[in-house]
Amino acid sequence: TLLLASSNELSAQSTRVRVSIKRVLNAAGQPHAFWSQSKIDRWMRDSNKLFDQQLGIQLVLSEVQDLPDPGIANGGPSWATIDRSQLTPMEQQAKANPAYYTWRSNAINIYLVHEIIGAGGVCSFPNGGHNEIIVVKPSILNSSVGFAHELGHYFNLLHTGK
């Protein structure tokens, strides 16, 4: 369930929604070079222009955290390079140990990875009963459209023609 920012942050025109970003570190302990704070800020700004105008939603960046690759640390599959089928197990692990995975129950949880095999980003529909997580790789954010696309899925928007 998506929780809103506190009532003193709400404007009369838009609903504010918290976003928690985690940069998944590689085996060397580094985030992908693309995930700079300035790019994340631009991406949030651009996405807010679209979502505020079209849906009345204002995204509030609550944090950017660096997360050592949980797969490497726990002997499982890497989170730095994932296959899209890993989305549900990633979410289950993060919810089971929110402190370790910096999972926030009051925010959209976005994990920035190095590579996703077979996709630029993945997000399932939270009203579908399972996924409340977005995972994106650098190439999707060459423009903010890719991030907005995945956020659209989070807000239950379908692809056109479906």
Side-chain angles (χ1 to χ4, degrees):
T1 302
L2 179 67
L3 297 179
L4 304 177
S6 65
S7 59
N8 64 349
E9 294 178 322
L10 295 175
S11 74
Q13 298 177 346
S14 60
T15 301
R16 293 181 179 236
V17 177
R18 288 187 185 98
V19 175
S20 173
I21 294 180
K22 299 88 158 110
R23 299 185 307 175
V24 177
L25 306 180
N26 63 15
Q30 298 296 316
H32 192 284
F34 187 84
W35 303 128
S36 69
Q37 186 65 49
S38 64
K39 287 184 182 176
I40 292 169
D41 290 342
R42 186 196 77 213
W43 165 58
M44 291 293 293
R45 223 177 15 257
D46 291 350
S47 296
N48 271 325
K49 288 177 189 174
L50 176 66
F51 281 92
D52 196 20
Q53 289 174 354
Q54 300 296 318
L55 299 174
I57 294 171
Q58 185 74 32
L59 303 171
V60 178
L61 181 60
S62 61
E63 66 185 344
V64 176
Q65 297 279 333
D66 286 342
L67 178 66
D69 187 334
I72 293 172
N74 297 317
S78 172
W79 280 36
T81 300
I82 70 161
D83 180 276
R84 63 185 302 144
S85 66
Q86 286 177 251
L87 184 65
T88 298
M90 287 174 72
E91 180 183 352
Q92 291 168 345
Q93 291 169 9
K95 284 182 172 180
N97 191 348
Y100 183 83
Y101 294 95
T102 64
W103 181 266
R104 305 294 181 238
S105 61
N106 65 347
I108 300 173
N109 290 278
I110 301 173
Y111 291 83
L112 307 178
V113 300
H114 293 249
E115 181 62 51
I116 301 172
I117 300 165
V122 288
C123 175
S124 292
F125 301 95
N127 290 346
H130 51 96
N131 290 321
E132 298 173 10
I133 185 172
I134 298 173
V135 181
V136 294
K137 69 180 184 181
S139 63
I140 197 170
L141 296 180
N142 286 333
S143 72
S144 295
V145 173
F147 176 64
H149 175 99
E150 296 307 326
L151 273 171
H153 288 317
Y154 187 93
F155 292 115
N156 287 317
L157 299 175
L158 301 173
H159 291 145
T160 57
K162 288 191 177 188

